[in-house]
Amino acid sequence: MTKHLNFGEVLPKKQSSGKFKEIIAKLSRGLMLPIAMLPIAGLALGIGATINSQAATISGQTIGSVLMLTGNIIFAILPLLFAIAVSITFTKDSGTAALSSVVGYFVFLLLQTALIIHPKGNDPNYHFLWYNFTPERFSAIFIENFGVETLSTSVFGGILVGVVVAWLYNKFKNIQLHYIIGFFSGVRFIPIVTFGTMIVFSMLFAIVWPLIGQGLFYLGEGLQYGGQYGGVNSLIYGIVNRALVPFGMHHVVNTMLWFTNIGGQFDTSVHIWSNGHDYGAAYLIAGDTTPSKITGDINMQVYFTRLIGAHTSLIDSTKGTITIQNIMDSAKQTNNPIAPGQYTNFAYVFGLFGLSGSALGMLFAAPKGDGRKQAAAIVIPGAIVSSLTGVSEAIEFTFLFLAPWLFWGFHALLAGIGGMITTTLIYYAPGIAPHVTFSFAQGALDFVIYGVIPDVRGGGTHCWMLLLMSIMYFPIYFGIFYWAIRKWNLQTPGRGGTKLFTKADWVKEKAQKNAPANKALALREKSKEVITAYGGKNNILNIDACITKLRIQVKDKKIVNEKKLKELGALGVTHPSPQSVYAVFGSEADLIKNQMKDIIAKGESEEIDGQTQHIKH
């Protein structure tokens, strides 16, 4: 007989088909935790850099420096944040796992540091176990972390440490030791076993990672040079990025390109700041005289944002002002060309105005009257969120589930083409090429911080080019969507026929009449209805959510009422694995998740008949 599973239990092995997809989805959710901390860091960094470069007084420069430092620290400790986030994600938010991941990460780093032998006497090479590195190759594989030199594992190292700690926690959290050392039983054993495990784990990394590090370095170089051939690297990345959004796996690919050597590397100790001159000597950069290595497209651009507008000084006291073009010119002189923005520009093109065109197409394709009003209530907020914040899922999911070919065949392709064009401009038309990064998502807020403000400071981000391209995308998206919806009679918002009123509608209407006092009550009632739509509390194994999707694991998918979920407001329902049913509720997803957990924990989940109710007005 099949074992009866209760809420929160782990699926048995024979039901684990498709579990890999669930793990990846959960990993993506974990990666979003530290990434969600970047907006405030980026805001502080952008504003601080502006104040610091423009302030005429010491107090003003001090304020700017404080903001810059507080923003920089988040980016500096990002690998550690990833370790913590991943460990708590796979251990149901365990504080012990988070603490253990901090211990594990530092053991992981410091063992590597102890193995490094620096050049001595007539030996110019670095030694690491049986590896010998020239200074140039050492610079490509090692980096400074928390004041010590370690392997350049970036967020990869942090993620893997978090995964190992989570595995140790889940395996040993209930361990019973001999009564003499019984104090260390249970979760108190986790930091101890983490300490010992990380010694072995770090040694394995020390053996393998130098080879992988060199491979990543060459791959990064290959992708960088790929931009010179029509921006093919950015074309591929843009398509893959959008194509993976429905599966929640795009964060994994993003991490590789944004924060590691694959996305590019900039070594401040070897670049020559020519500023249009040919002195053949290195500039001393104001406020940044310590050499460092910057890896990843976002990390490099954040660093460049801090430098923009600063002054450089030569030995002969000649001065100039740093722009992104200066930085790129210096990189070319060292045969290590960089293309800042090749993996971040593309999303501004469809995010600022492109998807707003698709929203307008869906709006005008809806019949006049109630249909258009219903469409407006759905697509207009989604378009505003996409343009303002860069969170595009709200508008993307309105057509993803209705016309998947329109999402993957048109939208993803156009995203890649946007990246291809901007990257080609970087290499062949640098005078107008855009270089705009972001801290949270490619929307108007980040566009101003990382595009407009640096450009005003003379940094040469050429953000106007992205704005122009996005405006050009607007009629393309509008025309394609309006034509496709009308030609194939797609059931986009406002075109789905007459909507039957449900209990959720009644609750919502009642809450609106008594708003805002009863908003919390309406959400709780809606959450109860969602539980019922998933087959009741006894059919639910696990409850999770990302920014826009409820991620529910169930015993039996056959009794999940997808129609009811859509009546409750879900824009779409997907089945990524045999036990997983995801429902897109937009910004309410996380709130509904919390309510569902609380309802089940308190035993308030009642089986509602689920039959459609009509409300007479």
Side-chain angles (χ1 to χ4, degrees):
M1 294 180 62
T2 303
K3 178 186 175 183
H4 179 72
L5 295 177
N6 295 316
F7 176 74
E9 285 193 45
V10 179
L11 290 171
K13 291 183 179 180
K14 64 180 180 181
Q15 297 183 23
S16 62
S17 176
K19 192 71 178 293
F20 177 73
K21 293 181 180 179
E22 297 170 6
I23 292 174
I24 293 296
K26 206 166 189 178
L27 175 62
S28 296
R29 172 181 173 269
L31 297 181
M32 282 302 296
L33 293 176
I35 290 175
M37 300 177 67
L38 298 183
I40 187 62
L43 189 65
L45 184 60
I47 295 176
T50 302
I51 295 175
N52 189 267
S53 63
Q54 303 297 325
T57 63
I58 295 178
S59 59
Q61 293 175 357
T62 301
I63 293 173
S65 296
V66 169
L67 289 173
M68 288 172 59
L69 288 172
T70 54
N72 266 330
I73 191 63
I74 299 299
F75 291 95
I77 65 174
L78 202 56
L80 176 60
L81 297 180
F82 271 81
I84 296 171
V86 172
S87 66
I88 65 176
T89 298
F90 285 95
T91 58
K92 297 184 178 180
D93 300 339
S94 167
T96 301
L99 175 62
S100 299
S101 66
V102 175
V103 174
Y105 186 70
F106 280 104
V107 172
F108 173 74
L109 291 183
L110 295 176
L111 179 63
Q112 297 168 15
T113 300
L115 297 175
I116 299 173
I117 300 177
H118 290 79
K120 293 182 180 179
N122 296 325
D123 184 1
N125 293 329
Y126 289 81
H127 301 276
F128 186 81
L129 293 178
W130 49 81
Y131 295 103
N132 295 321
F133 300 108
T134 63
E136 180 184 7
R137 192 55 55 211
F138 182 86
S139 175
I141 300 174
F142 291 81
I143 196 170
E144 187 173 286
N145 277 314
F146 296 95
V148 296
E149 290 179 319
T150 68
L151 287 167
S152 181
T153 59
S154 190
V155 295
F156 280 138
I159 291 171
L160 291 176
V161 168
V163 169
V164 172
V165 170
W167 181 82
L168 292 172
Y169 177 88
N170 291 323
K171 184 174 182 62
F172 295 109
K173 63 182 178 181
N174 296 318
I175 190 172
Q176 294 292 323
L177 300 176
H178 192 275
Y179 75 91
I180 297 178
I181 54 174
F183 173 79
F184 299 105
S185 295
V187 295
R188 285 187 288 271
F189 181 69
I190 306 304
I192 299 173
V193 70
T194 296
F195 185 92
T197 302
M198 279 304 145
I199 293 176
V200 177
F201 183 69
S202 187
M203 281 298 299
L204 293 174
F205 234 82
I207 294 171
V208 176
W209 194 256
L211 296 174
I212 297 177
Q214 292 186 79
L216 291 175
F217 179 76
Y218 290 130
L219 178 58
E221 284 187 332
L223 283 174
Q224 288 170 356
Y225 287 107
Q228 301 179 52
Y229 301 99
V232 65
N233 59 332
S234 297
L235 170 66
I236 294 172
Y237 167 66
I239 294 174
V240 171
N241 174 276
R242 287 297 94 188
L244 292 179
V245 164
F247 308 105
M249 296 170 62
H250 58 302
H251 302 304
V252 179
V253 180
N254 292 343
T255 300
M256 296 170 61
L257 297 173
W258 292 347
F259 305 115
T260 75
N261 289 346
I262 296 178
Q265 177 172 278
F266 185 81
D267 191 340
T268 65
S269 65
V270 299
H271 287 298
I272 298 173
W273 301 86
S274 66
N275 198 29
H277 302 290
D278 189 21
Y279 293 105
Y283 278 86
L284 295 177
I285 305 167
D288 188 46
T289 57
T290 303
S292 58
K293 290 182 288 295
I294 316 298
T295 61
D297 198 18
I298 283 185
N299 287 336
M300 286 192 300
Q301 290 195 85
V302 167
Y303 176 78
F304 301 156
T305 299
R306 181 166 63 86
L307 294 181
I308 284 175
H311 288 287
T312 60
S313 304
L314 278 172
I315 297 173
D316 61 4
S317 299
T318 303
K319 294 184 177 181
T321 302
I322 294 177
T323 66
I324 286 184
Q325 192 58 50
N326 299 153
I327 298 170
M328 293 183 64
D329 288 343
S330 71
K332 289 179 182 178
Q333 294 178 30
T334 59
N335 295 318
N336 183 29
I338 57 175
Q342 62 183 331
Y343 300 120
T344 57
N345 283 328
F346 82 104
Y348 282 112
V349 178
F350 68 78
L352 291 175
F353 293 106
L355 283 172
S356 296
S358 70
L360 191 65
M362 287 186 279
L363 179 63
F364 275 82
K368 294 181 179 180
D370 291 340
R372 193 160 291 181
K373 289 180 181 179
Q374 182 184 354
I378 296 174
V379 302
I380 291 179
I384 292 174
V385 169
S386 174
S387 296
L388 186 63
T389 70
V391 178
S392 57
E393 283 89 343
I395 190 69
E396 288 173 323
F397 287 164
T398 60
F399 63 89
L400 165 64
F401 302 103
L402 298 170
W405 57 268
L406 199 57
F407 182 89
W408 282 299
F410 169 72
H411 174 52
L413 177 61
L414 217 58
I417 291 174
M420 179 181 68
I421 293 173
T422 55
T423 298
T424 301
L425 290 176
I426 291 174
Y427 283 98
Y428 293 104
I432 60 174
H435 308 280
V436 184
T437 187
F438 68 100
S439 60
F440 176 59
Q442 291 98 317
L445 296 178
D446 280 52
F447 183 76
V448 170
I449 294 172
Y450 290 101
V452 177
I453 293 178
D455 233 358
V456 170
R457 291 160 52 200
T461 63
H462 303 141
C463 60
W464 58 269
M465 176 55 70
L466 292 180
L467 188 62
L468 177 62
M469 289 181 63
S470 190
I471 292 174
M472 293 173 64
Y473 263 40
F474 182 89
I476 296 175
Y477 269 86
F478 170 78
I480 292 294
F481 272 76
Y482 182 78
W483 169 77
I485 292 169
R486 297 294 296 270
K487 181 174 179 60
W488 283 285
N489 193 29
L490 302 179
Q491 300 301 296
T492 49
R495 295 173 56 85
T498 303
K499 180 179 182 298
L500 297 178
F501 288 94
T502 65
K503 182 176 180 179
D505 296 313
W506 176 81
V507 171
K508 182 177 180 180
E509 183 176 283
K510 183 178 179 181
Q512 288 175 342
K513 291 180 179 179
N514 299 282
N518 286 338
K519 283 186 177 181
L521 175 62
L523 180 64
R524 197 163 186 86
E525 291 297 323
K526 181 176 181 177
S527 301
K528 290 181 180 179
E529 291 277 2
V530 172
I531 292 174
T532 301
Y534 272 103
K537 64 180 180 180
N538 293 326
N539 192 46
I540 296 175
L541 295 175
N542 191 51
I543 300 172
D544 206 344
C546 63
I547 295 177
T548 56
K549 297 189 289 289
L550 269 180
R551 295 177 168 181
I552 310 297
Q553 285 181 277
V554 296
K555 297 177 184 176
D556 185 1
K557 291 201 298 185
K558 294 180 181 179
I559 63 175
V560 176
N561 191 335
E562 292 189 20
K563 181 180 178 181
K564 186 172 183 64
L565 286 172
K566 292 178 180 178
E567 290 174 352
L568 290 168
L571 299 176
V573 180
T574 60
H575 303 265
S577 73
Q579 274 72 45
S580 293
V581 181
Y582 293 177
V584 181
F585 277 96
S587 59
E588 277 191 331
D590 198 58
L591 298 175
I592 294 175
K593 174 203 74 174
N594 294 333
Q595 290 287 343
M596 290 175 68
K597 286 186 174 181
D598 190 59
I599 290 168
I600 292 176
K602 293 181 178 179
E604 297 178 11
S605 178
E606 299 178 358
E607 300 300 325
I608 307 171
D609 57 18
Q611 296 179 355
T612 303
Q613 300 180 25
H614 296 271
I615 300 177
K616 296 181 180 181
H617 298 277

